[in-house]
Amino acid sequence: MIDQQAPVRESAAPLPVRPRTGRFLVLACVFVCAACGLVYELELVALASYLIGDSVTQASVVLSVMVFAMGVGSLLAKRLRCHAAVGFVAIEMVLALVGGSSALVLYASFAWLGESRHALVAFSLAIGVLIGAEIPLLMTLIQRVDRQDAGGTVADLFAADYVGALVGGLAFPFLLLPVLGQLTGALVTGAVNAAAGGALVLWLFRRDLSARARVLLVLACGLVIALLTGSTLLVDDFERAARRAVYGKDVRVAVQSEVQEIVLTGSGRDSLDLDLYLDGRLRVSARDEYRYHEALVHPAMRGPHARVLILGGGDGLAAREALAYRDVRSVTVVELDPTVVRLAREDPALSALNRRAYRDPRLKPVGADAFAWLRRAHGRYDVIVSDLPDPGITASTKLYSAEFYRLIGRALAPDGRFVVHGGPPGLRPHTFWTVEATVRAGGLAPRPYRVTGRATGFGAGPDRVVGGSGAPQDWGFVLAAVRTAPELGLDPAAPRLRSVGARELTAAGRAAEHVRLRDRRPSTLVHPRYREDG
């Protein structure tokens, strides 16, 4: 409950403007602070999803901790209401520093310590407490300007707060991220936050402050803004140092596309030392990628394969395997991120690794979301290869749903084959067997197989893991057809392969059955069931 007459201990000196103008200025400050506060929240959610993964869990942690902390901040602010002007500007300076630097600190924690969960919770708690303390103090200040009834004041404050949150929420994905990026965007937001809070108090309420207090607040505001704006000049150097800490010293290409961060490492002269990272996760390692792509593509090519559809696989490596068959007439690659396709075409090392697949006239790239594209597709394909990100990544869950596999079945020729990577059965068995159960629920007859012998410490393919004792040592795949489960084998026209043969595929089928988990429930759009296994 908010008091009708909020206590204001500062001397009730006349304001430099009319009450109506003063009220407008306070509400304008509420608007700006709310926009900045929501940007901090979204920044934490985006970075948590990128650095840690499992975006549903990370978003839940950030938002729940922050909302709880806002309640704590509101209670703590009661002690500052007698010095509302000084208390508000102090809180805004701390919030600007903490919120503005949050992205830098989280990324540094990830790069040099290898862990950012604790920092994420700490920032969510701190930012929530500071945001929660704003409204009680602003309520006091606006009543200092114009003692309207409490109900009307609360309505005005929350209206400005919600509209500011709307603007901040829209500015983050459509302006700050594409124009400034995550790190610079957070720093600029902090500087705006500090400038708005400082300007309100140091101008509108300057007569309520002593001369000494005014000097100290001016110095504090100037220092905070200088630190934040100065840090923007060092962002590029920081990013280069952090990338070297994460990816090693041989970072050749680092691009932030509209979809993800793309990093290529290696000398650039030799495709054998190439590593491709998407959003910080190793997607392709030239040391063992052929094992993954041969096991993924060639079992599905046994039978008719004139028309091939590859979902994902913008790096061109799955297409390389399909184009090795002379009787393949067309290969369609549906890739969401055109930047990946551009690099696969133009980067010397990556294009050499995919044997310049994009120069083959049989290959047709399509820039689209695989789910949306399949809903519109009317053709039938002899082979469909799903070379997509891990189902444990929330953004990809719909691409491993029963509904998605029903679209696959609709696009598959009557005697065609479909294959999907389902994660490593040894390390994440629940995920893999959920994929198998979901393929079955989508109306297809599955045949799981498990290929071992991957290079230790490397993670080509969607289940990429860099080093560590937890690095997966196998790949799990599900081959499927419309009527009956297909047999594992190779087509007579198959090229000579380095890692997969008929005998190896027979053993791969038995290896999968040895670790089968039964009674797995399928994943759907409404009930996604993929979680990271231990």
mmCIF file of all heavy atoms in Angstrom, residues 165-201:
data_model
loop_
_atom_site.group_PDB
_atom_site.id
_atom_site.type_symbol
_atom_site.label_atom_id
_atom_site.label_comp_id
_atom_site.label_asym_id
_atom_site.label_seq_id
_atom_site.Cartn_x
_atom_site.Cartn_y
_atom_site.Cartn_z
ATOM 1 N N ALA A 165 8.846 -0.325 -21.034
ATOM 2 C CA ALA A 165 9.235 -1.728 -21.196
ATOM 3 C C ALA A 165 8.950 -2.215 -22.615
ATOM 4 O O ALA A 165 9.734 -2.975 -23.194
ATOM 5 C CB ALA A 165 8.495 -2.594 -20.180
ATOM 6 N N LEU A 166 7.820 -1.770 -23.186
ATOM 7 C CA LEU A 166 7.501 -2.139 -24.565
ATOM 8 C C LEU A 166 8.577 -1.633 -25.521
ATOM 9 O O LEU A 166 9.078 -2.376 -26.377
ATOM 10 C CB LEU A 166 6.144 -1.563 -24.959
ATOM 11 C CG LEU A 166 5.766 -1.684 -26.435
ATOM 12 C CD1 LEU A 166 5.584 -3.136 -26.838
ATOM 13 C CD2 LEU A 166 4.518 -0.877 -26.754
ATOM 14 N N VAL A 167 8.950 -0.361 -25.367
ATOM 15 C CA VAL A 167 9.957 0.215 -26.261
ATOM 16 C C VAL A 167 11.296 -0.486 -26.083
ATOM 17 O O VAL A 167 11.982 -0.827 -27.055
ATOM 18 C CB VAL A 167 10.081 1.732 -26.001
ATOM 19 C CG1 VAL A 167 11.252 2.316 -26.784
ATOM 20 C CG2 VAL A 167 8.789 2.432 -26.385
ATOM 21 N N GLY A 168 11.691 -0.747 -24.826
ATOM 22 C CA GLY A 168 12.943 -1.449 -24.586
ATOM 23 C C GLY A 168 12.927 -2.857 -25.149
ATOM 24 O O GLY A 168 13.913 -3.322 -25.737
ATOM 25 N N GLY A 169 11.781 -3.554 -24.983
ATOM 26 C CA GLY A 169 11.676 -4.912 -25.504
ATOM 27 C C GLY A 169 11.767 -4.985 -27.016
ATOM 28 O O GLY A 169 12.308 -5.946 -27.566
ATOM 29 N N LEU A 170 11.243 -3.972 -27.709
ATOM 30 C CA LEU A 170 11.325 -3.957 -29.161
ATOM 31 C C LEU A 170 12.686 -3.449 -29.653
ATOM 32 O O LEU A 170 13.193 -3.902 -30.690
ATOM 33 C CB LEU A 170 10.205 -3.082 -29.741
ATOM 34 C CG LEU A 170 8.778 -3.580 -29.509
ATOM 35 C CD1 LEU A 170 7.767 -2.584 -30.055
ATOM 36 C CD2 LEU A 170 8.573 -4.946 -30.152
ATOM 37 N N ALA A 171 13.259 -2.511 -28.904
ATOM 38 C CA ALA A 171 14.549 -1.960 -29.316
ATOM 39 C C ALA A 171 15.656 -3.001 -29.232
ATOM 40 O O ALA A 171 16.593 -2.992 -30.039
ATOM 41 C CB ALA A 171 14.911 -0.749 -28.453
ATOM 42 N N PHE A 172 15.561 -3.925 -28.253
ATOM 43 C CA PHE A 172 16.645 -4.891 -28.067
ATOM 44 C C PHE A 172 16.872 -5.770 -29.296
ATOM 45 O O PHE A 172 17.991 -5.829 -29.814
ATOM 46 C CB PHE A 172 16.366 -5.745 -26.826
ATOM 47 C CG PHE A 172 17.409 -6.797 -26.574
ATOM 48 C CD1 PHE A 172 18.670 -6.444 -26.122
ATOM 49 C CD2 PHE A 172 17.144 -8.136 -26.795
ATOM 50 C CE1 PHE A 172 19.645 -7.409 -25.898
ATOM 51 C CE2 PHE A 172 18.099 -9.104 -26.568
ATOM 52 C CZ PHE A 172 19.347 -8.737 -26.115
ATOM 53 N N PRO A 173 15.852 -6.480 -29.831
ATOM 54 C CA PRO A 173 16.130 -7.352 -30.976
ATOM 55 C C PRO A 173 16.228 -6.624 -32.308
ATOM 56 O O PRO A 173 16.901 -7.103 -33.225
ATOM 57 C CB PRO A 173 14.943 -8.328 -30.968
ATOM 58 C CG PRO A 173 13.825 -7.534 -30.381
ATOM 59 C CD PRO A 173 14.459 -6.626 -29.367
ATOM 60 N N PHE A 174 15.533 -5.468 -32.434
ATOM 61 C CA PHE A 174 15.460 -4.824 -33.741
ATOM 62 C C PHE A 174 16.432 -3.656 -33.916
ATOM 63 O O PHE A 174 16.651 -3.210 -35.044
ATOM 64 C CB PHE A 174 14.035 -4.331 -33.999
ATOM 65 C CG PHE A 174 13.021 -5.440 -34.070
ATOM 66 C CD1 PHE A 174 12.024 -5.547 -33.107
ATOM 67 C CD2 PHE A 174 13.073 -6.392 -35.075
ATOM 68 C CE1 PHE A 174 11.095 -6.575 -33.152
ATOM 69 C CE2 PHE A 174 12.147 -7.424 -35.124
ATOM 70 C CZ PHE A 174 11.160 -7.517 -34.167
ATOM 71 N N LEU A 175 17.005 -3.174 -32.839
ATOM 72 C CA LEU A 175 17.919 -2.036 -32.948
ATOM 73 C C LEU A 175 19.260 -2.311 -32.288
ATOM 74 O O LEU A 175 20.311 -2.271 -32.943
ATOM 75 C CB LEU A 175 17.279 -0.787 -32.324
ATOM 76 C CG LEU A 175 18.137 0.489 -32.329
ATOM 77 C CD1 LEU A 175 18.440 0.907 -33.750
ATOM 78 C CD2 LEU A 175 17.441 1.603 -31.565
ATOM 79 N N LEU A 176 19.241 -2.619 -30.998
ATOM 80 C CA LEU A 176 20.498 -2.763 -30.264
ATOM 81 C C LEU A 176 21.329 -3.943 -30.754
ATOM 82 O O LEU A 176 22.527 -3.798 -31.020
ATOM 83 C CB LEU A 176 20.213 -2.906 -28.767
ATOM 84 C CG LEU A 176 19.617 -1.676 -28.080
ATOM 85 C CD1 LEU A 176 19.340 -1.967 -26.607
ATOM 86 C CD2 LEU A 176 20.555 -0.487 -28.205
ATOM 87 N N LEU A 177 20.717 -5.124 -30.856
ATOM 88 C CA LEU A 177 21.488 -6.293 -31.282
ATOM 89 C C LEU A 177 22.039 -6.166 -32.700
ATOM 90 O O LEU A 177 23.239 -6.356 -32.922
ATOM 91 C CB LEU A 177 20.632 -7.562 -31.160
ATOM 92 C CG LEU A 177 20.596 -8.224 -29.784
ATOM 93 C CD1 LEU A 177 19.805 -9.522 -29.857
ATOM 94 C CD2 LEU A 177 21.984 -8.505 -29.270
ATOM 95 N N PRO A 178 21.206 -5.838 -33.705
ATOM 96 C CA PRO A 178 21.757 -5.777 -35.063
ATOM 97 C C PRO A 178 22.708 -4.614 -35.292
ATOM 98 O O PRO A 178 23.625 -4.723 -36.101
ATOM 99 C CB PRO A 178 20.515 -5.665 -35.955
ATOM 100 C CG PRO A 178 19.442 -5.140 -35.072
ATOM 101 C CD PRO A 178 19.738 -5.669 -33.704
ATOM 102 N N VAL A 179 22.511 -3.492 -34.609
ATOM 103 C CA VAL A 179 23.339 -2.310 -34.868
ATOM 104 C C VAL A 179 24.568 -2.262 -33.965
ATOM 105 O O VAL A 179 25.684 -2.015 -34.424
ATOM 106 C CB VAL A 179 22.507 -1.023 -34.694
ATOM 107 C CG1 VAL A 179 23.385 0.214 -34.859
ATOM 108 C CG2 VAL A 179 21.366 -0.998 -35.708
ATOM 109 N N LEU A 180 24.381 -2.540 -32.674
ATOM 110 C CA LEU A 180 25.468 -2.382 -31.712
ATOM 111 C C LEU A 180 26.039 -3.704 -31.221
ATOM 112 O O LEU A 180 27.194 -3.744 -30.782
ATOM 113 C CB LEU A 180 24.976 -1.567 -30.506
ATOM 114 C CG LEU A 180 24.494 -0.146 -30.803
ATOM 115 C CD1 LEU A 180 23.982 0.507 -29.523
ATOM 116 C CD2 LEU A 180 25.612 0.692 -31.417
ATOM 117 N N GLY A 181 25.268 -4.762 -31.260
ATOM 118 C CA GLY A 181 25.728 -6.023 -30.701
ATOM 119 C C GLY A 181 25.435 -6.096 -29.210
ATOM 120 O O GLY A 181 25.046 -5.115 -28.577
ATOM 121 N N GLN A 182 25.658 -7.277 -28.618
ATOM 122 C CA GLN A 182 25.289 -7.490 -27.225
ATOM 123 C C GLN A 182 26.129 -6.659 -26.269
ATOM 124 O O GLN A 182 25.603 -6.033 -25.347
ATOM 125 C CB GLN A 182 25.419 -8.970 -26.885
ATOM 126 C CG GLN A 182 24.334 -9.822 -27.521
ATOM 127 C CD GLN A 182 24.459 -11.280 -27.140
ATOM 128 O OE1 GLN A 182 25.556 -11.821 -27.081
ATOM 129 N NE2 GLN A 182 23.339 -11.933 -26.900
ATOM 130 N N LEU A 183 27.431 -6.639 -26.445
ATOM 131 C CA LEU A 183 28.298 -5.972 -25.478
ATOM 132 C C LEU A 183 28.153 -4.458 -25.543
ATOM 133 O O LEU A 183 27.912 -3.792 -24.531
ATOM 134 C CB LEU A 183 29.752 -6.381 -25.712
ATOM 135 C CG LEU A 183 30.048 -7.886 -25.662
ATOM 136 C CD1 LEU A 183 31.539 -8.138 -25.784
ATOM 137 C CD2 LEU A 183 29.510 -8.505 -24.382
ATOM 138 N N THR A 184 28.294 -3.887 -26.740
ATOM 139 C CA THR A 184 28.161 -2.441 -26.888
ATOM 140 C C THR A 184 26.746 -1.988 -26.562
ATOM 141 O O THR A 184 26.534 -0.930 -25.959
ATOM 142 C CB THR A 184 28.538 -2.012 -28.313
ATOM 143 O OG1 THR A 184 29.872 -2.436 -28.583
ATOM 144 C CG2 THR A 184 28.459 -0.509 -28.473
ATOM 145 N N GLY A 185 25.750 -2.783 -26.935
ATOM 146 C CA GLY A 185 24.361 -2.427 -26.651
ATOM 147 C C GLY A 185 24.107 -2.292 -25.161
ATOM 148 O O GLY A 185 23.428 -1.362 -24.709
ATOM 149 N N ALA A 186 24.652 -3.211 -24.363
ATOM 150 C CA ALA A 186 24.473 -3.129 -22.917
ATOM 151 C C ALA A 186 25.169 -1.902 -22.338
ATOM 152 O O ALA A 186 24.635 -1.212 -21.464
ATOM 153 C CB ALA A 186 24.998 -4.401 -22.253
ATOM 154 N N LEU A 187 26.375 -1.608 -22.815
ATOM 155 C CA LEU A 187 27.114 -0.443 -22.320
ATOM 156 C C LEU A 187 26.399 0.861 -22.660
ATOM 157 O O LEU A 187 26.289 1.767 -21.820
ATOM 158 C CB LEU A 187 28.527 -0.442 -22.903
ATOM 159 C CG LEU A 187 29.461 -1.542 -22.405
ATOM 160 C CD1 LEU A 187 30.704 -1.618 -23.275
ATOM 161 C CD2 LEU A 187 29.851 -1.316 -20.950
ATOM 162 N N VAL A 188 25.908 0.974 -23.873
ATOM 163 C CA VAL A 188 25.178 2.183 -24.272
ATOM 164 C C VAL A 188 23.900 2.327 -23.466
ATOM 165 O O VAL A 188 23.530 3.428 -23.033
ATOM 166 C CB VAL A 188 24.885 2.147 -25.786
ATOM 167 C CG1 VAL A 188 23.924 3.261 -26.178
ATOM 168 C CG2 VAL A 188 26.184 2.281 -26.577
ATOM 169 N N THR A 189 23.209 1.209 -23.229
ATOM 170 C CA THR A 189 21.998 1.257 -22.411
ATOM 171 C C THR A 189 22.311 1.760 -21.005
ATOM 172 O O THR A 189 21.576 2.581 -20.436
ATOM 173 C CB THR A 189 21.352 -0.137 -22.334
ATOM 174 O OG1 THR A 189 21.034 -0.579 -23.664
ATOM 175 C CG2 THR A 189 20.085 -0.113 -21.492
ATOM 176 N N GLY A 190 23.411 1.295 -20.426
ATOM 177 C CA GLY A 190 23.805 1.769 -19.113
ATOM 178 C C GLY A 190 24.094 3.258 -19.089
ATOM 179 O O GLY A 190 23.708 3.968 -18.144
ATOM 180 N N ALA A 191 24.763 3.760 -20.132
ATOM 181 C CA ALA A 191 25.066 5.191 -20.197
ATOM 182 C C ALA A 191 23.790 6.023 -20.296
ATOM 183 O O ALA A 191 23.662 7.077 -19.653
ATOM 184 C CB ALA A 191 25.986 5.470 -21.385
ATOM 185 N N VAL A 192 22.828 5.564 -21.095
ATOM 186 C CA VAL A 192 21.539 6.267 -21.207
ATOM 187 C C VAL A 192 20.817 6.255 -19.866
ATOM 188 O O VAL A 192 20.233 7.259 -19.432
ATOM 189 C CB VAL A 192 20.682 5.608 -22.311
ATOM 190 C CG1 VAL A 192 19.264 6.169 -22.287
ATOM 191 C CG2 VAL A 192 21.316 5.828 -23.675
ATOM 192 N N ASN A 193 20.843 5.122 -19.187
ATOM 193 C CA ASN A 193 20.215 4.981 -17.882
ATOM 194 C C ASN A 193 20.807 5.986 -16.887
ATOM 195 O O ASN A 193 20.086 6.696 -16.174
ATOM 196 C CB ASN A 193 20.433 3.555 -17.388
ATOM 197 C CG ASN A 193 19.514 3.176 -16.243
ATOM 198 O OD1 ASN A 193 19.401 1.997 -15.904
ATOM 199 N ND2 ASN A 193 18.865 4.127 -15.603
ATOM 200 N N ALA A 194 22.131 6.062 -16.840
ATOM 201 C CA ALA A 194 22.788 6.985 -15.920
ATOM 202 C C ALA A 194 22.481 8.437 -16.264
ATOM 203 O O ALA A 194 22.232 9.266 -15.380
ATOM 204 C CB ALA A 194 24.305 6.744 -15.941
ATOM 205 N N ALA A 195 22.484 8.757 -17.543
ATOM 206 C CA ALA A 195 22.215 10.131 -17.966
ATOM 207 C C ALA A 195 20.787 10.548 -17.614
ATOM 208 O O ALA A 195 20.552 11.669 -17.133
ATOM 209 C CB ALA A 195 22.449 10.267 -19.467
ATOM 210 N N ALA A 196 19.818 9.654 -17.817
ATOM 211 C CA ALA A 196 18.420 9.994 -17.525
ATOM 212 C C ALA A 196 18.204 10.203 -16.025
ATOM 213 O O ALA A 196 17.597 11.199 -15.598
ATOM 214 C CB ALA A 196 17.498 8.889 -18.047
ATOM 215 N N GLY A 197 18.702 9.264 -15.210
ATOM 216 C CA GLY A 197 18.518 9.394 -13.772
ATOM 217 C C GLY A 197 19.245 10.592 -13.197
ATOM 218 O O GLY A 197 18.701 11.335 -12.368
ATOM 219 N N GLY A 198 20.476 10.819 -13.656
ATOM 220 C CA GLY A 198 21.235 11.955 -13.158
ATOM 221 C C GLY A 198 20.638 13.284 -13.573
ATOM 222 O O GLY A 198 20.560 14.230 -12.771
ATOM 223 N N ALA A 199 20.188 13.381 -14.815
ATOM 224 C CA ALA A 199 19.634 14.643 -15.311
ATOM 225 C C ALA A 199 18.362 15.020 -14.560
ATOM 226 O O ALA A 199 18.137 16.191 -14.236
ATOM 227 C CB ALA A 199 19.349 14.534 -16.805
ATOM 228 N N LEU A 200 17.517 14.016 -14.263
ATOM 229 C CA LEU A 200 16.265 14.314 -13.562
ATOM 230 C C LEU A 200 16.537 14.948 -12.198
ATOM 231 O O LEU A 200 15.975 15.994 -11.873
ATOM 232 C CB LEU A 200 15.450 13.028 -13.382
ATOM 233 C CG LEU A 200 14.144 13.213 -12.599
ATOM 234 C CD1 LEU A 200 13.115 13.937 -13.448
ATOM 235 C CD2 LEU A 200 13.592 11.858 -12.122
ATOM 236 N N VAL A 201 17.385 14.318 -11.424
ATOM 237 C CA VAL A 201 17.618 14.801 -10.062
ATOM 238 C C VAL A 201 18.450 16.074 -10.054
ATOM 239 O O VAL A 201 18.138 17.042 -9.344
ATOM 240 C CB VAL A 201 18.292 13.696 -9.222
ATOM 241 C CG1 VAL A 201 18.723 14.244 -7.858
ATOM 242 C CG2 VAL A 201 17.339 12.520 -9.036
#
